[in-house]
Amino acid sequence: MSERYEYVPHRLLRRRVRDIASGAEGELMAVINENVSGSVAHEHWMELAYIRGASGREFTTAIANVEAVGTADRHGRPPLALAELYSHQSDPTPSNRATDRPN
């Protein structure tokens, strides 16, 4: 198993989050892209969220299982799950302002 990993920046770091799979809450300490494969021949990379619970112990979960805990945003919408935030980061169809304007 490769011991390589990389930290992934995220806007919810050091904020209160919930693991929707277990219901556990805590502070998001890190998001790390890790090789979770047990095989040397086949690598399997996954973004894991490291969450520190109330006891002080950290646990991991898939980034897709994490949502922000707290109040609604300034528009009254509930907090987005981390997976939803990632899905909005890059739009595969680039905006072309020149074609958006009438001739």
Side-chain angles (χ1 to χ4, degrees):
M1 182 166 133
S2 172
E3 297 299 324
R4 294 178 297 170
Y5 60 91
E6 66 180 352
Y7 286 88
V8 178
H10 199 279
R11 71 178 190 90
L12 293 178
L13 288 174
R14 301 292 183 178
R15 298 211 24 220
R16 191 141 185 87
V17 296
R18 176 183 302 115
D19 173 18
I20 59 174
S22 68
E25 294 184 8
E27 183 178 348
L28 181 62
M29 303 307 292
V31 178
I32 300 178
N33 190 23
E34 286 188 49
N35 179 7
V36 295
S37 172
S39 168
V40 176
H42 177 71
E43 292 185 349
H44 179 74
W45 290 85
M46 190 171 173
E47 286 187 348
L48 296 176
Y50 281 74
I51 301 170
R52 181 174 293 159
S55 68
R57 296 185 74 181
E58 290 186 11
F59 62 94
T60 61
T61 189
I63 196 78
N65 289 344
V66 178
E67 65 183 4
V69 173
T71 60
D73 69 8
R74 61 190 170 109
H75 302 290
R77 296 178 297 219
L80 291 174
L82 292 180
E84 292 177 57
L85 292 173
Y86 278 115
S87 69
H88 294 292
Q89 281 185 349
S90 62
D91 184 2
T93 57
S95 174
N96 186 349
R97 297 258 184 233
T99 59
D100 292 342
R101 288 186 239 143
N103 292 333

